[in-house]
């Protein structure tokens, strides 16, 4: 099983390398022909043989020489960490399997026990200078090292770096050999203060009711990924090496003597008028030589064709920020621009800016290209309860967002990033908070957010659970580097200094200097944003009555953290731990993989699963567990929908779901798990977050209709049909409605359930347009159980579902068509229910010829229910790159229907 884990990780990295090559042309970096990324052969299938060895007192001058003997060195994964390479080399067992990572098991030494030197390593590789770099100035850029390092090339020190979120370029001209081999050696040290687990009796900060997160809090003294010491949503006792390593790319590129850095585009429109947009462009221009440089700095907005230029003379070694403003350069005014909007509000139009410096003999010394969006984002507290709201191009946006946390051991790839954001877009989420205990995400991450239409709350590396950095100069340097890197992205909406804490002095002034186009607040729970919760599994009835948090009212204003877990599917659970721990459920292992039981998977969640009848196997339990996750995720979204902008019982401007992605395999999973396998929660979130959505309230027994579009829909109708356990129609109601723009029609229908209805029954909602066409629908299951109040496990949404096991057998029919487009296999699967019984929770699984699920994979819908005579067509998208199987199998089954295996030949 450990071998399977390593294989999965390796496949991710190999597939990623092909995707990475395709994405580089879009980065705000030198063009691909003048840039090489030194990715390792190990893990990434790159062109460079990186090696690593524990630091042993050797000098950098010696290690970076051609003559240095590297016998005994291990192969290394770059980008990567020390521990990732040690695990790949089988020095230590896979941390992500069972509870191998549990500190008390001592299978993998923890830095707090073994000492910092234990994870102090040299990394080394050999590189050559591309012929296309001939006659140019050559640079080596490190995009991210954790935590301190000294860099050596050919026996000479290039310099030092510190802080996890710093990036720095070094001039290799005159050091690197234009012909022949060059030796790069990097001495990487772990964080200054590794921190350790929480010790009883220690004074700690942190929110009431939460675990003692952040270890002993000492990790915060560094500028690093704070969650690496342990949190209740990741390894509760931390990552053993605190993610020491060269965790981001090493880049080799070439320029002339004048180098351009950090272009910045600021947009201003005379809102509410959006018919013209004025752009202010700035760029840092650096003379890397000891001679005067004379030339022309010019720019072009590709899509509009607008150009601008001015002559520039630079003194030796001078760096200057050059600004082009629309008053002096009328071409920087775009008339009738194509605007960038978030999801459901409009298109995600992007513009491309290229800036270049042309010197003597009409030679381009350097050019940079970046994308931007014409849009203005603001936020205010002009709301009835002074809660924060966000506006794009002057239009308020109801936030249905989520909290983003990174992969725990930084085993990230472009493929993983794409899959996670693709799933997130499918769910309908419109806002991502980059939580402060995580990382500054990659350029590719921001590019996809621009493309998909997410808004981003960018939080920096401070939390109320940990201390503050001791080196504030280093913190502010990392902060500045990050802001300059991300500020052109239209998705970026807001800066927040910390999670539930304060700010480092000077942060606000730095933001105002670097990027005055966006709002800023000192911490996540202030300025119109109240504190969060719930986080654990709770009775969904409490969402509807707004009692799910013992801290008080939570479905109001702007909530930064409100969520619930969902277990992974069966196939993922089997990958996660030994069979002996799966069934009967080993609470010790399951709880470790649930942040020491924080999300109540083995208590309340299991109790809710058992309400569908106690399971006799892990297969039965895993299937029924999806019912629970689906119910709770959608219920949260729908309760917030109901209260949008005061349409419901109270005013709400938005929520951020806590939390979004699985940083490692865990029993308290999310919309998808670490293996990139979607759970039912994804598809029920997709339903609850549909831009037009009819929804059922389990407390009021009413039907409402939500609208996320900026336009109204008149003369629509909403219809509710109630079915008993035998699929007989018991009740049917409909109502004609006018749906306001960006609004809600609440309580359009009231359902009165007959006393003699079966204990378990079902509700089908349909929204029809003014021509009678169904434009949206939703399906619910309900019991007759009375709700007995908060903190009980009772009510029609959670208890009394044992009769689901009495559903009559259903029969499914499946037909499949396929075609290939743009390197993808697209499968259209039509599923029909030809029986007289409901087919409950129909699931599709596309597998390879070894019966393993393909992941990531994109189904337009899944875990759906089909009424008698009903059918649904699902499109399944599979990337062909790296897919070696000769035949695919589509498995289709339902809770009460036999499985159907459909064979699909590969094209």
């Amino acid at each position: 099983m450990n071998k399977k884990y390593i294989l999965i990780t390796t496949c991710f990295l190999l597939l990623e390398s092909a995707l990475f090559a395709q994405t580089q042309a879009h980065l705000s970096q030198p063009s691909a022909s003048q840039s090489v990324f030194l990715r390792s052969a190990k893990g990434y299938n790159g062109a460079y043989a990186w090696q690593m060895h524990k630091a042993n007192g050797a000098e950098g001058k010696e290690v970076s020489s051609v003559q240095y003997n590297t016998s005994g060195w291990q192969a290394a994964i770059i980008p990567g960490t020390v521990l990732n390479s040690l695990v790949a080399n089988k020095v230590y067992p896979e941390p992500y399997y069972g509870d191998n990572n549990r500190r008390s098991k001592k299978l993998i030494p923890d830095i707090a026990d073994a000492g910092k030197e234990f994870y102090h390593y040299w990394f080394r590789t050999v590189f050559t200078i591309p012929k296309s770099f001939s006659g140019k100035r050559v640079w080596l850029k490190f995009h991210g090292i954790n935590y301190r390092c000294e860099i050596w090339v050919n026996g000479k020190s290039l310099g030092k770096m510190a802080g996890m979120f710093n990036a720095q370029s070094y001039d290799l001209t005159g050091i690197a050999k234009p012909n022949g081999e060059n030796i790069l050696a990097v001495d990487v040290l772990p964080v200054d203060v590794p921190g350790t687990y929480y010790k009883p009796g220690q004074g700690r900060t942190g929110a009431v009711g939460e675990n003692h997160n952040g270890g002993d809090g000492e990790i915060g003294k560094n500028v690093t990924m704070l969650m690496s010491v342990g949190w209740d949503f990741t390894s509760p006792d931390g990552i053993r090496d605190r993610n020491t390593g060269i965790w981001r790319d090493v880049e080799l590129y070439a320029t002339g003597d004048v180098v351009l850095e950090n272009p910045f585009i600021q947009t201003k429109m005379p809102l509410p008028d959006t018919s013209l947009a004025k752009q202010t462009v700035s760029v840092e221009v650096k003379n890397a030589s000891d001679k005067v440089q004379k030339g022309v700095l010019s720019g072009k907005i590709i899509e509009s064709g607008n150009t601008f230029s001015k002559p520039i003379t630079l003194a030796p070694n001078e760096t200057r920020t050059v600004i082009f403003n629309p008053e002096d350069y009328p071409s920087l005014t775009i008339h009738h621009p194509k605007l960038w909007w978030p999801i459901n509000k409009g298109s995600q139009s992007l513009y491309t800016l290229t800036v270049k410096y042309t010197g003597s003999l009409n030679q381009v010394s350097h050019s940079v290209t970046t994308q931007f969006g014409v849009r203005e984002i603001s936020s205010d507290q002009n709301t009835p309860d002074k809660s924060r709201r966000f506006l794009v191009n002057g239009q308020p946006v109801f936030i249905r967002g989520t909290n983003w946390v990174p992969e725990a051991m930084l085993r990230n790839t472009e493929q993983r990033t794409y899959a996670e954001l693709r799933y997130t877009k499918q769910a309908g989420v419109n806002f991502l908070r980059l939580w402060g205990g995580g990382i500054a995400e990659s350029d590719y991450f921001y590019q996809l957010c621009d493309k998909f239409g997410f808004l981003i709350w960018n939080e920096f590396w401070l939390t109320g659970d940990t201390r503050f950095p001791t080196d504030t100069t280093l913190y502010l340097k990392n902060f500045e580097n990050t802001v300059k890197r991300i500020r052109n992205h239209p998705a970026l909406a807001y800066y927040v200094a910390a999670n539930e804490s304060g700010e480092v002095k000077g942060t606000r002034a730095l933001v105002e200097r670097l990027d005055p186009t966006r709002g800023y607040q000192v911490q996540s729970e202030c300025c119109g944003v109240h504190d969060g919760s719930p986080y654990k599994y709770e009775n969904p009835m409490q969402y509807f009555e707004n009692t799910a948090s013992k801290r008080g009212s939570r479905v109001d204003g702007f909530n930064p953290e409100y969520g619930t877990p969902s277990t992974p599917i069966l196939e993922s659970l089997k990958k996660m731990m030994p069979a002996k721990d799966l069934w009967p459920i080993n609470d010790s292992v399951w709880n470790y993989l649930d942040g020491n039981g924080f999300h109540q998977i083995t208590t309340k969640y299991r109790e809710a699963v058992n309400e569908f009848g106690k399971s006799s196997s892990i297969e039965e339990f895993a299937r029924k567990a999806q019912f629970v996750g689906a119910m709770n995720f959608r219920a949260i979204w729908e309760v917030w929908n109901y209260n949008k902008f005061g349409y419901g019982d109270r005013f709400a401007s938005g929520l951020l779901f806590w939390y979004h992605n699985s940083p490692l395999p865990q029993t308290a999973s999310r919309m998808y798990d670490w293996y990139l396998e979607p759970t039912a929660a994804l598809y029920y979130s997709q339903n609850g977050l549909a831009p037009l959505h009819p929804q059922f309230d389990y407390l009021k027994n009413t039907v409402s209709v939500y609208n996320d579009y900026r336009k109204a829909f008149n003369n629509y109708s909403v219809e509710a049909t109630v079915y008993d356990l035998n699929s007989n129609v018991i009740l049917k109601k409909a109502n004609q409605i006018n749906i306001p723009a960006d609004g809600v029609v609440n309580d359009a229908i009231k359902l009165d359930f007959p006393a003699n209805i079966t204990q378990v029954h079902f509700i089908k909602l349909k929204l029809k347009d003014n021509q009678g066409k169904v434009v949206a629908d939703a399906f619910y299951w309900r019991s007759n159980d009375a709700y007995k109040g908060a903190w009980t496990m009772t009510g029609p949404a959670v208890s009394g579902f044992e009769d689901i096991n009495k559903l009559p057998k259903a029969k499914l029919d499946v037909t499949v068509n396929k075609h290939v487009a743009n390197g993808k296999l697209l499968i259209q699967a039509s599923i029909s229910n030809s029986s007289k019984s409901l087919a409950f929770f129909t699931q599709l699984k596309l597998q390879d010829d070894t019966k393993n699920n393909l992941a990531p994979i994109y189904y337009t819908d899944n875990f759906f229910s089909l009424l008698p005579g009903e059918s649904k067509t699902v499109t399944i998208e599979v990337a062909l790159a790296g897919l070696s199987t000769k035949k695919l199998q589509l498995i289709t089954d339902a809770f009460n229907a036999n499985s159907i295996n459909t064979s699909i030949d590969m094209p």
Side-chain angles (χ1 to χ4, degrees):
M1 188 64 73
N2 289 359
K3 291 179 180 177
K4 184 181 290 185
Y5 232 109
I6 294 171
L7 177 62
I8 291 167
T9 304
T10 302
C11 287
F12 280 157
L13 295 175
L14 291 175
L15 285 170
E16 177 278 337
S17 63
L19 288 169
F20 179 79
Q22 298 172 20
T23 62
Q24 292 314 295
H26 303 294
L27 300 181
S28 300
Q29 301 295 335
S31 62
S33 62
Q34 296 293 296
S35 184
V36 176
F37 290 83
L38 308 186
R39 291 203 164 183
S40 62
K42 188 176 184 67
Y44 286 95
N45 200 28
Y48 297 86
W50 282 87
Q51 295 176 291
M52 59 182 273
H53 194 276
K54 188 176 288 190
N56 54 6
E59 295 293 329
K61 183 176 182 179
E62 177 186 0
V63 177
S64 64
S65 68
V66 175
Q67 294 79 22
Y68 186 74
N69 183 2
T70 59
S71 60
W73 284 49
Q74 302 179 59
I77 297 172
I78 300 294
T81 66
V82 170
L83 185 55
N84 279 334
S85 291
L86 291 173
V87 170
N89 293 329
K90 300 183 181 180
V91 176
Y92 298 119
E94 173 53 57
Y96 286 1
Y97 187 65
D99 61 349
N100 281 352
N101 191 69
R102 195 192 293 265
R103 183 174 173 179
S104 60
K105 294 186 77 169
K106 298 184 178 180
L107 295 177
I108 307 170
D110 188 82
I111 192 171
D113 303 322
K116 281 178 55 180
E117 282 302 307
F118 190 84
Y119 288 109
H120 176 190
Y121 271 75
W122 278 99
F123 291 87
R124 188 179 189 272
T125 194
V126 179
F127 68 93
T128 57
I129 304 298
K131 291 182 179 179
S132 60
F133 288 15
S134 178
K136 295 183 177 294
R137 190 172 290 272
V138 180
W139 302 85
L140 190 66
K141 182 172 184 178
F142 287 81
H143 288 265
I145 293 179
N146 193 34
Y147 180 66
R148 293 186 185 275
C149 74
E150 185 168 7
I151 301 159
W152 294 78
V153 172
N154 297 342
K156 295 185 179 180
S157 174
L158 298 185
K160 297 181 179 181
M161 274 181 66
M164 188 174 187
F165 312 109
N166 190 23
Q168 199 161 323
S169 293
Y170 299 89
D171 193 346
L172 286 183
T173 310
I175 297 175
K177 305 171 187 174
N179 300 301
E181 292 184 342
N182 296 281
I183 309 299
L184 166 63
V186 189
D187 182 13
V188 181
L189 288 86
V191 290
D192 297 339
V193 186
T196 188
Y197 62 92
Y198 171 74
K199 296 177 181 177
Q202 289 182 322
R204 284 293 315 283
T205 57
V208 175
E210 294 182 16
N211 283 357
H212 293 290
N213 289 321
D216 60 359
E218 294 295 296
I219 190 78
K221 291 181 177 179
N222 312 280
V223 186
T224 192
M225 176 177 163
L226 305 178
M227 62 181 264
S228 66
V229 78
W231 233 271
D232 55 34
F233 57 81
T234 180
S235 293
D237 49 3
I239 303 302
R240 304 280 77 91
D241 70 338
R242 306 297 186 266
N243 286 322
T244 302
I246 304 174
W247 73 287
R248 280 208 169 130
D249 273 298
V250 181
E251 179 187 6
L252 189 68
Y253 66 97
T255 70
D257 286 334
V258 176
V259 183
L260 306 180
E261 293 179 328
N262 302 314
F264 183 33
I265 306 99
Q266 302 179 60
T267 296
K268 191 67 181 174
M269 292 183 286
L271 297 175
D273 181 6
T274 60
S275 63
L276 63 87
K278 294 185 176 182
Q279 321 303 317
T280 298
V281 175
S282 62
V283 64
E284 295 171 19
V285 187
K286 173 183 177 181
N287 181 1
S289 75
D290 57 3
K291 298 177 181 179
V292 173
Q293 299 290 334
K294 294 183 178 182
V296 175
L297 183 65
S298 61
K300 182 177 183 179
I301 299 174
I302 304 300
E303 289 76 8
S304 66
N306 295 17
T307 60
F308 52 93
S309 65
K310 69 168 65 173
I312 299 291
T313 299
L314 296 168
N317 301 306
E318 179 187 3
T319 297
R320 184 193 316 171
T321 298
V322 178
I323 300 173
F324 297 89
N325 59 61
E327 289 72 31
D328 296 330
Y329 298 87
S331 61
L332 287 174
T333 297
I334 303 175
H335 295 275
H336 305 291
K338 295 180 179 179
L339 302 182
W340 185 94
W341 291 95
I343 289 170
N344 298 335
K345 304 305 181 187
S347 62
Q348 288 75 52
S349 299
L350 295 171
Y351 287 83
T352 307
L353 171 71
T354 296
V355 182
K356 63 182 179 181
Y357 185 91
T358 305
S360 60
L361 303 177
N362 204 33
Q363 294 290 315
V364 175
S365 177
H366 192 203
S367 68
V368 289
T369 297
T370 189
Q371 287 190 316
F372 68 98
V374 174
R375 60 93 185 96
E376 283 195 50
I377 294 178
S378 62
S379 73
D380 61 33
Q381 292 178 253
N382 297 331
T383 56
D385 60 353
K386 303 300 180 185
S387 60
R388 185 154 297 280
R389 66 170 183 165
F390 288 85
L391 302 94
V392 179
N393 301 326
Q395 301 293 317
V397 176
F398 185 62
I399 301 304
R400 302 189 292 174
T402 191
N403 283 268
W404 188 271
V405 293
E407 209 283 339
M409 289 177 64
L410 300 176
R411 291 171 162 178
N412 210 357
T413 64
E414 275 80 4
Q415 188 218 23
R416 175 175 287 277
T417 297
Y418 177 83
E420 292 200 59
L421 288 174
R422 173 77 178 268
Y423 287 144
T424 307
K425 179 176 174 60
Q426 180 174 351
V429 167
N430 65 5
F431 194 106
L432 306 178
R433 173 195 176 195
L434 304 190
W435 176 72
I439 63 172
E441 283 290 349
S442 66
D443 293 330
Y444 184 56
F445 173 91
Y446 286 93
Q447 291 162 13
L448 287 179
C449 288
D450 294 342
K451 176 183 176 181
F452 289 156
F454 300 123
L455 297 172
I456 298 174
W457 160 319
N458 212 95
E459 201 163 279
F460 296 88
W461 321 289
L462 307 171
T463 77
D465 297 277
T466 58
R467 313 291 183 237
F468 265 33
T470 53
D471 187 341
T472 57
T473 300
L474 178 63
Y475 172 84
L476 292 174
K477 181 180 181 181
N478 279 242
F479 190 103
E480 178 171 359
N481 193 299
T482 301
V483 171
K484 285 182 175 181
R485 177 172 66 87
I486 67 179
R487 61 189 177 181
N488 284 325
H489 292 280
L492 181 61
Y494 206 51
Y495 295 116
V496 179
N499 168 63
E500 303 168 8
S501 187
E503 64 181 342
V504 169
K505 185 178 180 181
T507 301
R508 182 181 294 273
L510 189 57
V511 168
E512 290 172 351
R513 175 172 66 83
L514 296 174
D515 184 6
T517 69
R518 294 172 176 90
Y520 167 87
Q521 69 183 48
V522 62
Q523 60 122 323
S524 60
E525 295 181 356
C526 74
C527 317
V529 180
H530 61 67
D531 64 337
S533 73
Y535 303 102
K536 310 173 183 183
Y537 174 84
E538 303 294 358
N539 184 342
M541 296 301 298
Q542 295 188 244
Y543 306 147
F544 293 97
E545 71 169 3
N546 199 23
T547 63
S549 169
K550 292 184 178 180
R551 298 186 201 174
S553 174
R554 283 296 167 269
V555 184
D556 57 30
F558 195 103
N559 191 321
E561 299 173 358
Y562 190 114
T564 188
S566 175
T567 56
I569 64 171
L570 174 66
E571 288 79 3
S572 293
L573 287 169
K574 287 183 173 180
K575 293 175 184 176
M576 196 178 298
M577 66 185 84
K580 65 181 177 63
D581 297 327
L582 272 178
W583 196 263
I585 288 174
N586 182 335
D587 285 0
S588 175
V589 175
W590 281 60
N591 285 340
Y592 182 77
L593 297 173
D594 176 26
N596 283 335
F598 180 73
H599 301 97
Q600 306 184 142
I601 291 296
T602 63
T603 53
K604 278 191 175 182
Y605 198 102
R606 181 159 62 194
E607 185 178 347
V609 175
N610 288 341
E611 286 295 327
F612 291 88
K614 286 192 176 181
S615 301
S616 60
S617 66
I618 187 60
E619 288 78 11
E620 183 181 358
F621 182 87
R623 179 182 285 276
K624 290 178 176 178
Q626 292 303 305
F627 306 165
V628 175
M631 169 70 77
N632 281 53
F633 269 70
R634 184 170 64 178
I636 286 177
W637 299 121
E638 291 179 339
V639 168
W640 282 87
N641 285 348
Y642 186 92
N643 292 287
K644 173 181 181 175
F645 291 151
Y647 278 93
D649 303 327
R650 60 194 73 85
F651 184 90
S653 55
L655 84 150
L656 304 177
F657 197 97
W658 184 264
Y659 52 97
H660 186 68
N661 28 16
S662 295
L664 41 61
Q666 52 189 176
T667 52
S669 195
R670 305 289 128 178
M671 295 183 196
Y672 51 87
D673 60 35
W674 182 85
Y675 307 96
L676 304 179
E677 288 271 16
T679 66
L682 172 65
Y683 304 100
Y684 283 76
S685 292
Q686 174 180 306
N687 184 249
L689 291 170
L692 280 175
H693 176 57
Q695 60 184 50
F696 177 69
D697 186 312
Y698 279 86
L699 192 67
K700 296 180 178 179
N701 290 338
T702 60
V703 177
S704 303
V705 177
Y706 176 91
N707 177 17
D708 204 49
Y709 291 122
R710 293 187 299 122
K711 63 180 181 179
F713 300 90
N714 294 324
N715 299 318
Y716 273 46
S717 64
V718 60
E719 175 185 289
T721 307
V722 179
Y723 299 84
D724 68 10
L725 192 67
N726 298 306
S727 301
N728 298 312
V729 175
I730 301 300
L731 175 66
K732 190 171 186 176
K733 279 190 174 183
N735 196 6
Q736 197 86 7
I737 57 174
N738 293 324
I739 309 172
D742 226 352
V744 189
V745 179
N746 276 330
D747 307 325
I749 294 175
K750 174 71 164 66
L751 294 177
D752 297 305
F753 296 92
N756 62 348
I757 195 171
T758 54
Q759 168 65 10
V760 177
H761 44 274
F762 309 97
I763 306 160
K764 177 78 170 187
L765 305 182
K766 294 180 180 179
L767 181 66
K768 298 180 179 180
D769 65 15
N770 52 18
Q771 303 298 313
K773 179 183 177 183
V774 176
V775 294
D777 62 11
F779 181 86
Y780 300 81
W781 51 99
R782 182 183 181 274
S783 79
N784 281 331
D785 275 20
Y787 176 49
K788 298 179 182 179
W791 313 116
T792 69
M793 289 293 285
T794 63
V798 67
S799 66
F801 284 109
E802 190 168 357
D803 281 359
I804 200 80
N805 298 284
K806 299 177 182 178
L807 267 172
K809 202 76 170 177
K811 183 180 184 300
L812 298 174
D813 299 308
V814 180
T815 59
V816 169
N817 292 297
K818 69 176 190 293
H819 70 278
V820 173
N822 300 319
K824 301 169 185 174
L825 175 63
L826 299 173
I827 300 169
Q828 277 80 39
S830 296
I831 303 94
S832 301
N833 180 1
S834 58
S835 70
K836 295 182 179 180
S837 175
L838 166 76
F840 186 63
F841 247 64
T842 304
Q843 183 184 2
L844 308 181
K845 295 183 290 188
L846 191 65
Q847 299 182 338
D848 62 19
D849 48 16
T850 62
K851 298 185 179 180
N852 287 317
N853 287 5
L854 297 182
I857 192 169
Y858 310 105
Y859 303 86
T860 52
D861 202 359
N862 215 336
F863 300 95
F864 50 86
S865 296
L866 293 176
L867 290 162
E870 197 172 24
S871 63
K872 180 184 284 284
T873 297
V874 175
T875 299
I876 308 168
E877 180 185 317
V878 187
L880 291 173
L883 196 61
S884 59
T885 185
K886 295 179 180 179
K887 190 180 290 288
L888 299 174
Q889 304 290 331
L890 179 64
I891 313 300
T892 308
D893 64 15
F895 178 69
N896 58 322
N898 292 331
S899 177
I900 299 172
N901 189 329
T902 307
S903 181
I904 303 171
D905 291 326
M906 287 294 292

